[in-house]
Amino acid sequence: MSAINIKTLSRENVLKFLKSFDTVLTDCDGVLWLHMTPLPNSSNVMNLFRKFGKQVFYVTNNSTKTRDDLVEKCRALKFQANKDDILCTANLSACYLQSLSCKKTYVIGSEAIARELEQVGISSFGIGPDVINPNTPYSTFEKDPEVTAVIVGLDEHFSYPKMVKAATYLNDTNVHFIGTNTDERFPDFSKDVVIPGTGSLVRCIESCAERKAVIMGKPDNYMATMLMERSNIDPQRTLMIGDRCNTDILFGTRCGFITLLVLTGVTALSDVEKWKQSEQQEERDLVPNYYIDALGDLLPYLKE
Ligand code: PLP
Ligand code: CA
C-alpha cells in the first residue's frame, strides 16, 4: 500500500483517479459529518459523484440509527440518499437474523435495533435500564425459551444484570451471537474524556460468554456480502472512503477496493506513516492507497 497524498498529484492524475471507480462507499461520521455538523463541501462532493453516474453507498457502523433515521439525517445535511443506499449495523443485524429464521432476540443496544428487527418480524426485549434488585439473586434468572439470538450494540444502560442475561442465553451454543461493530472508542471530543464504543461492550460479553460474536460492521465481511448481494459492484472499480483505518480502510483492503483516508476523523497521518514501515502485514493492511485532508478538498477537481 502506498498512501499517496491526493494533493501531490497533478490535476490530470487526480482526474484519472476520479475516473478509476464507478462505485463509492463512504463511512459517515468523520467523513461526511461530525455528529450533527456536516464537514465543509462533503455533501457537494458526494452529490457530484452521484451526478457523474457513480453508485453511492453510505456504510456506517453506528448501531443507534435505522436506515430511515440515516436517510433523514443525510437529507437534513444535504446529502442525496435513498434507503437502499444505506448500510447500517442495526439493519444488517435484522437481515442476518431474518436469514436464520430467528423470531425473538435479547438486545443489549438501542431502540434503532428493536425497530429494524420489528420491520422484519423479529421481536426483541432488553432495551433500557436493567436495575439490580437486591432481593432477586442472579441465580433465579429464568431464560425465555423463545430467544434464539443475542445482539450487542451501543447501550448507554450497559450493566452487570445485562451481562448475566446475555451470557446465560449464549451458554446455549444454538443461540446466535451478534455484535454490531468493534469500534473501541468514540473520537476524542475532549482530550480528557474517553467515551467507550460498542467494541468495548462486545468484548465484554464475548469474555463472559466465552464465545466470539459475529460482527455486522466494518471491517468484517458481512457488510460486503450484503452489498454484493444487493448491487452489482466491481471491487477493482470501487472506492472506500473512511476516517478510521482499523474499520474503514481494513474493510476496503480486505474487499479489494481502492481506499481513501480522510484526516477529519479518527486516524492521524502519523499512524499511517508508522504502519507503512511495519514488518507486520496486519499493520500494513491498515495503510490506505490514498489520503486527503478532507473529503471536501476533492470539490475543485469535480467542478469543471
Ligand atoms: N457507533 C456509534 C454509536 C456512533 O455514534 C458512531 C458515530 O457516530 C459510530 C459507531 C461510527 O460510525 P461511522 O462508521 O459512520 O464512523
Ligand atoms: Ca467514521
Side-chain angles (χ1 to χ4, degrees):
M1 288 293 178
S2 34
I4 296 167
N5 181 357
I6 297 266
K7 287 187 182 163
T8 63
L9 297 177
S10 64
R11 184 174 177 84
E12 193 192 351
N13 280 337
V14 178
L15 297 182
K16 225 189 221 173
F17 159 72
L18 292 171
K19 284 189 184 132
S20 70
F21 49 87
D22 313 312
T23 301
V24 182
L25 311 183
T26 181
D27 170 76
C28 295
D29 198 72
V31 176
L32 307 179
W33 55 67
L34 290 174
H35 248 283
M36 285 310 293
T37 310
L39 285 160
N41 288 325
S42 55
S43 62
N44 295 332
V45 168
M46 293 312 300
N47 296 341
L48 281 171
F49 279 155
R50 195 182 279 267
K51 187 176 162 201
F52 294 146
K54 299 184 191 296
Q55 292 194 91
V56 168
F57 294 97
Y58 300 90
V59 294
T60 177
N61 275 359
N62 187 347
S63 66
T64 68
K65 300 250 183 291
T66 62
R67 283 203 293 170
D68 288 322
D69 295 336
L70 285 157
V71 168
E72 207 176 293
K73 179 165 182 176
C74 280
R75 291 182 182 166
L77 300 182
K78 309 271 184 285
F79 294 88
Q80 292 165 9
N82 300 309
K83 202 167 168 178
D84 288 344
D85 309 333
I86 310 270
L87 282 105
C88 65
T89 54
N91 174 257
L92 291 178
S93 304
C95 294
Y96 183 77
L97 291 182
Q98 186 188 27
S99 73
L100 298 171
S101 306
C102 173
K103 292 280 170 272
K104 197 167 191 179
T105 318
Y106 176 62
V107 178
I108 293 180
S110 63
E111 284 295 337
I113 297 174
R115 277 186 274 133
E116 289 282 5
L117 289 168
E118 199 185 330
Q119 284 189 30
V120 296
I122 301 175
S123 66
S124 65
F125 65 99
I127 289 154
D130 195 341
V131 289
I132 296 170
N133 183 344
N135 301 318
T136 318
Y138 292 120
S139 56
T140 60
F141 168 60
E142 281 184 31
K143 290 197 288 185
D144 178 337
E146 290 180 353
V147 168
T148 54
V150 171
I151 301 178
V152 182
L154 188 73
D155 188 339
E156 289 177 282
H157 301 286
F158 190 80
S159 64
Y160 195 80
K162 293 190 180 201
M163 289 170 65
V164 170
K165 291 178 186 172
T168 303
Y169 281 118
L170 291 167
N171 220 23
D172 176 348
T173 52
N174 293 314
V175 171
H176 302 287
F177 182 13
I178 311 278
T180 57
N181 59 300
T182 52
D183 304 40
E184 299 87 355
R185 292 178 173 193
F186 286 100
D188 292 345
F189 296 116
S190 142
K191 293 281 168 239
D192 295 327
V193 182
V194 172
I195 314 284
T198 309
S200 317
L201 310 188
V202 172
R203 296 294 171 246
C204 173
I205 300 300
E206 283 183 335
S207 170
C208 57
E210 298 181 343
R211 284 174 61 179
K212 288 278 178 206
V214 177
I215 305 296
M216 298 290 105
K218 304 160 285 181
D220 286 66
N221 67 9
Y222 184 65
M223 200 178 243
T225 308
M226 290 308 281
L227 190 69
M228 309 282 184
E229 232 171 64
R230 289 178 190 177
S231 55
N232 192 7
I233 74 165
D234 172 358
Q236 289 179 336
R237 292 194 56 81
T238 298
L239 178 71
M240 173 71 213
I241 310 171
D243 68 301
R244 184 176 193 129
C245 287
N246 71 349
T247 53
D248 309 322
I249 301 304
L250 184 57
F251 177 72
T253 305
R254 286 178 176 171
C255 294
F257 302 152
I258 308 158
T259 53
L260 171 64
L261 175 71
V262 297
L263 299 173
T264 42
V266 173
T267 299
L269 195 54
S270 53
D271 294 324
V272 176
E273 295 300 340
K274 198 177 65 201
W275 297 326
K276 255 166 93 171
Q277 314 299 333
S278 174
E279 310 244 301
Q280 293 170 37
Q281 185 62 42
E282 275 169 23
E283 293 198 339
R284 291 202 306 276
D285 283 349
L286 302 175
V287 177
N289 298 118
Y290 297 93
Y291 72 90
I292 193 162
D293 290 338
L295 183 62
D297 293 352
L298 286 176
L299 190 60
Y301 303 100
L302 290 161
K303 269 182 159 173
E304 241 337 79

mmCIF file of all heavy atoms in Angstrom, residues 27-31 218 243-244 248 266, ligand 2:
data_model
loop_
_atom_site.group_PDB
_atom_site.id
_atom_site.type_symbol
_atom_site.label_atom_id
_atom_site.label_comp_id
_atom_site.label_asym_id
_atom_site.label_seq_id
_atom_site.Cartn_x
_atom_site.Cartn_y
_atom_site.Cartn_z
ATOM 1 N N ASP A 27 -17.880 5.948 4.597
ATOM 2 C CA ASP A 27 -18.163 5.974 6.019
ATOM 3 C C ASP A 27 -18.924 7.282 6.281
ATOM 4 O O ASP A 27 -18.896 8.193 5.444
ATOM 5 C CB ASP A 27 -16.801 5.965 6.738
ATOM 6 C CG ASP A 27 -16.928 6.235 8.213
ATOM 7 O OD1 ASP A 27 -17.336 5.323 8.926
ATOM 8 O OD2 ASP A 27 -16.626 7.371 8.653
ATOM 9 N N CYS A 28 -19.603 7.378 7.416
ATOM 10 C CA CYS A 28 -20.392 8.605 7.656
ATOM 11 C C CYS A 28 -19.706 9.540 8.654
ATOM 12 O O CYS A 28 -19.150 10.565 8.258
ATOM 13 C CB CYS A 28 -21.792 8.216 8.130
ATOM 14 S SG CYS A 28 -22.718 7.341 6.849
ATOM 15 N N ASP A 29 -19.720 9.150 9.951
ATOM 16 C CA ASP A 29 -19.163 10.057 10.946
ATOM 17 C C ASP A 29 -17.647 10.171 10.776
ATOM 18 O O ASP A 29 -16.953 9.163 10.702
ATOM 19 C CB ASP A 29 -19.504 9.545 12.358
ATOM 20 C CG ASP A 29 -19.358 10.620 13.393
ATOM 21 O OD1 ASP A 29 -20.196 11.529 13.407
ATOM 22 O OD2 ASP A 29 -18.377 10.576 14.161
ATOM 23 N N GLY A 30 -17.163 11.398 10.682
ATOM 24 C CA GLY A 30 -15.725 11.607 10.491
ATOM 25 C C GLY A 30 -15.353 11.850 9.034
ATOM 26 O O GLY A 30 -14.260 12.321 8.752
ATOM 27 N N VAL A 31 -16.268 11.500 8.111
ATOM 28 C CA VAL A 31 -16.013 11.749 6.683
ATOM 29 C C VAL A 31 -17.016 12.790 6.155
ATOM 30 O O VAL A 31 -16.637 13.780 5.537
ATOM 31 C CB VAL A 31 -16.138 10.460 5.845
ATOM 32 C CG1 VAL A 31 -15.972 10.763 4.361
ATOM 33 C CG2 VAL A 31 -15.107 9.433 6.283
ATOM 34 N N LYS A 218 -18.004 -2.883 9.529
ATOM 35 C CA LYS A 218 -16.631 -2.844 9.015
ATOM 36 C C LYS A 218 -15.675 -3.141 10.154
ATOM 37 O O LYS A 218 -15.921 -2.640 11.250
ATOM 38 C CB LYS A 218 -16.323 -1.432 8.495
ATOM 39 C CG LYS A 218 -17.257 -0.889 7.438
ATOM 40 C CD LYS A 218 -17.183 0.647 7.352
ATOM 41 C CE LYS A 218 -17.887 1.337 8.483
ATOM 42 N NZ LYS A 218 -17.875 2.804 8.434
ATOM 43 N N ASP A 243 -12.427 7.369 7.702
ATOM 44 C CA ASP A 243 -11.560 8.178 8.581
ATOM 45 C C ASP A 243 -10.869 7.299 9.613
ATOM 46 O O ASP A 243 -10.085 7.785 10.410
ATOM 47 C CB ASP A 243 -12.377 9.248 9.318
ATOM 48 C CG ASP A 243 -13.318 8.639 10.333
ATOM 49 O OD1 ASP A 243 -14.171 7.821 9.935
ATOM 50 O OD2 ASP A 243 -13.174 8.929 11.545
ATOM 51 N N ARG A 244 -11.223 6.002 9.615
ATOM 52 C CA ARG A 244 -10.682 5.126 10.650
ATOM 53 C C ARG A 244 -10.068 3.910 9.967
ATOM 54 O O ARG A 244 -10.779 3.131 9.316
ATOM 55 C CB ARG A 244 -11.828 4.710 11.572
ATOM 56 C CG ARG A 244 -11.413 3.893 12.735
ATOM 57 C CD ARG A 244 -12.634 3.627 13.637
ATOM 58 N NE ARG A 244 -12.166 3.099 14.884
ATOM 59 C CZ ARG A 244 -12.492 3.561 16.082
ATOM 60 N NH1 ARG A 244 -13.340 4.541 16.220
ATOM 61 N NH2 ARG A 244 -12.001 3.016 17.157
ATOM 62 N N ASP A 248 -12.672 1.155 8.455
ATOM 63 C CA ASP A 248 -12.961 1.507 7.053
ATOM 64 C C ASP A 248 -11.895 1.030 6.068
ATOM 65 O O ASP A 248 -12.204 0.416 5.043
ATOM 66 C CB ASP A 248 -13.072 3.033 6.908
ATOM 67 C CG ASP A 248 -14.017 3.638 7.914
ATOM 68 O OD1 ASP A 248 -15.044 3.007 8.199
ATOM 69 O OD2 ASP A 248 -13.720 4.731 8.427
ATOM 70 N N VAL A 266 -10.814 9.914 12.934
ATOM 71 C CA VAL A 266 -10.081 9.196 13.976
ATOM 72 C C VAL A 266 -8.584 9.041 13.684
ATOM 73 O O VAL A 266 -7.748 9.329 14.543
ATOM 74 C CB VAL A 266 -10.724 7.795 14.180
ATOM 75 C CG1 VAL A 266 -9.899 6.942 15.123
ATOM 76 C CG2 VAL A 266 -12.145 7.931 14.690
HETATM 77 CA CA CA B 2 -16.087 7.087 10.858
#
